Structure formats: structure tokens, C-alpha cells
Amino acid sequence: MSAPRSEGSTPGRPASGGTLPRAISGVGVLGLVVLVGPLIALAWAAPWSRMWTLLTEPAALQALGLSVAGASLATLLALALGVPLAAVLASGVIRPVRLVRLLVVVPMVMPPVVIGVALLTLLGRRGLVGQYLDDWFDWTPTYTFAAVVIAQLVVAMPFLVVSVEAALRSRNLDAEEAAYTLGASRMTTFWWITVPEIRAGIGAGAIMCFARALGEFGATVTFAGNVEGVTQTMPLAIYLSLQRDDESAIAMAVGLVVLSLLVLIGMRGRWLPALN
């Protein structure tokens, strides 16, 4: 008499959770160690007895506030600009689509410091556009909070665009076609049918955008500088603290990790089902 198979198993195929080859399992565990090891080391070195005192110092709170405010504004701007851009890419309005998509995702693979230099050449006092801002309005965004938001926006918005475009390409078109047959305009259909259907993709993209903006360093320090109370975000404050107070730097790093985890955990059920 043969042993009963587990429910849902298929003949000739291991049941879910079946044993992997040892080599694959070992390499997978090694990959986990590579990712988790730095976090464990950070937790081990953290000055837990002074954590609250270090995180509530005026400089740390100021840097955290700038980081959160900048990342929030950058995410809102990314939603306003990125969702329509993703719709353009998904519909193929601009051609060649592949070239346009390539240009959109370039900031995801470029070194952030290069993005900072590019922003300087565009919006700096002598930049392509910045020179006119200086001449006409006696203002340039460099070394201001606006520069922080712009740098975070350019670096982080591609993450939202990619997520939203993928959601648009995989959506069900039946509801939109029904709306058209009932006389709804394209704009009405987009905002009331399409956007609600892809809300999970928008939410996931917004979370990735916010998280990327929150941790931005290279483009910010190059384009916005490191002015305390004006452009010094948490990553910049951590880097500066490493040169004078290791414990303060580690405490702020732990605080930033915890904040990122709270964002992911708080949104996992609705926007990031893969984390459930």
C-alpha cells in the first residue's frame, strides 16, 4: 500500500516546501547572510543605553525632519509626474518607447553623484536653466531645501514609474471598454476606472520611491550641499558624524533603518502583499 500524498501535491513534482539541493540551499543562506550581516553588526554596535538621547539631539531631529519632509514632497511630486509618465510609456504615445523607457530608468543605475553633477549643469548658477533663474528671479535652487527635493525626486521617481507601468500593462481592460461604451470620456475613465484598478502598483511604487528618497546621499550632497538645518538630511548627518562621533552616527543609522522598516511593515498588507 503506497503512502498517501500530501494534499495539493503533483506526481513527479516535489510538494510545496520540498527539499532543495544542498548547494542551492547553502548559497541561498550565504546570500541571506550577505544582506542581513551588516544589519546585525549595526545592531551589535549600537549604543542602546544612549540611543534615545542621541536620536533626540537637535541636530539629529533636524536632519530627520529634513529627510522625511524632503522624501514626502519628492514622493508627492513623483506621483503627480510619474503616474502620467507611466501611462504614456504603457500606451506607447511617445516613440520609440524602448528608448524613452531606457532614459526613464537610467537614474536607477547611474551613480547618484553623477546625477548631482548633471543637476548642477542644469540648475546651477551657470547651468543651462539655472543661469536664467538667476538672471530673471535672482534665485537658484542649489544649496537650498528645494535642491534636496529635486535630487530625491530625480533619483527616486523611476522606481514609481516602473511599478506603475507594470501595473498598467497587466490590468484588465474590460471595465475601461465598458466605460467607453457608456459614454465616459478618456479622462473620466482614467481617473475613475484605471487609477483605482492599479492602486496597488501605485502604492508599491510610492513606497519604494519614498524609501529611496529617504536614503539619498550622493545627488543630494553634490547638488544641495551639506548645510546644517537647510540641506543636511539624515544620510548626510550620519556621514558627517562618522568623522567625529561614531556612536551618534550608528544611532542615527539604526534610527533610519527602523524608520524604513516601519514604513514597509505598515504598508505590507495593502500595498506590498509579497511581505505578508
Side-chain angles (χ1 to χ4, degrees):
M1 182 175 180
S2 60
R5 291 196 305 267
S6 59
E7 184 178 353
S9 62
T10 303
R13 179 180 299 177
S16 177
T19 304
L20 285 172
R22 290 184 179 181
I24 299 297
S25 299
V27 175
V29 171
L30 179 60
L32 179 63
V33 170
V34 169
L35 294 177
V36 177
L39 297 178
I40 295 175
L42 194 63
W44 173 79
W48 295 106
S49 60
R50 300 179 56 215
M51 183 68 69
W52 183 253
T53 301
L54 292 171
L55 288 177
T56 53
E57 289 182 349
L61 289 176
Q62 199 170 51
L64 177 61
L66 283 172
S67 290
V68 174
S72 299
L73 286 173
T75 302
L76 290 175
L77 288 172
L79 285 168
L81 299 172
V83 173
L85 175 56
V88 167
L89 292 175
S91 64
V93 172
I94 300 179
R95 295 184 180 277
V97 176
R98 291 183 178 180
L99 176 60
V100 177
R101 186 181 294 112
L102 177 65
L103 295 175
V104 168
V105 301
V106 159
M108 297 176 67
V109 297
M110 283 175 59
V113 68
V114 175
I115 297 176
V117 172
L119 288 172
L120 278 175
T121 61
L122 176 66
L123 297 171
R125 191 175 298 277
R126 298 180 181 178
L128 184 63
V129 175
Q131 59 181 322
Y132 299 108
L133 293 175
D134 186 41
D135 290 341
W136 297 344
F137 305 104
D138 193 26
W139 178 82
T140 52
T142 51
Y143 307 108
T144 67
F145 179 67
V148 173
V149 177
I150 293 170
Q152 292 177 339
L153 173 65
V154 174
V155 169
M157 188 168 70
F159 291 86
L160 182 139
V161 174
V162 169
S163 176
V164 176
E165 186 192 0
L168 284 167
R169 288 183 173 277
S170 61
R171 75 189 190 278
N172 189 339
L173 299 177
D174 291 344
E176 294 179 26
E177 293 174 355
Y180 291 143
T181 59
L182 293 174
S185 66
R186 291 184 179 275
M187 181 63 73
T188 299
T189 301
F190 181 79
W191 286 113
W192 294 100
I193 303 296
T194 306
V195 170
E197 186 175 350
I198 63 169
R199 63 185 182 276
I202 295 175
I207 292 170
M208 290 188 291
C209 178
F210 179 83
R212 180 64 186 87
L214 192 66
E216 167 50 33
F217 177 86
T220 304
V221 73
T222 306
F223 179 54
N226 190 7
V227 183
E228 186 173 349
V230 181
T231 66
Q232 188 180 93
T233 57
M234 186 66 94
L236 273 62
I238 292 171
Y239 178 77
L240 191 63
S241 293
L242 278 173
Q243 304 173 33
R244 58 189 182 189
D245 185 356
D246 288 350
E247 287 194 347
S248 178
I250 293 173
M252 286 190 288
V254 170
L256 202 56
V257 170
V258 171
L259 178 60
S260 300
L261 289 174
L262 288 176
V263 170
L264 291 175
I265 292 172
M267 296 295 185
R268 74 187 188 281
R270 184 177 180 85
W271 305 119
L272 298 176
L275 295 181
N276 288 336

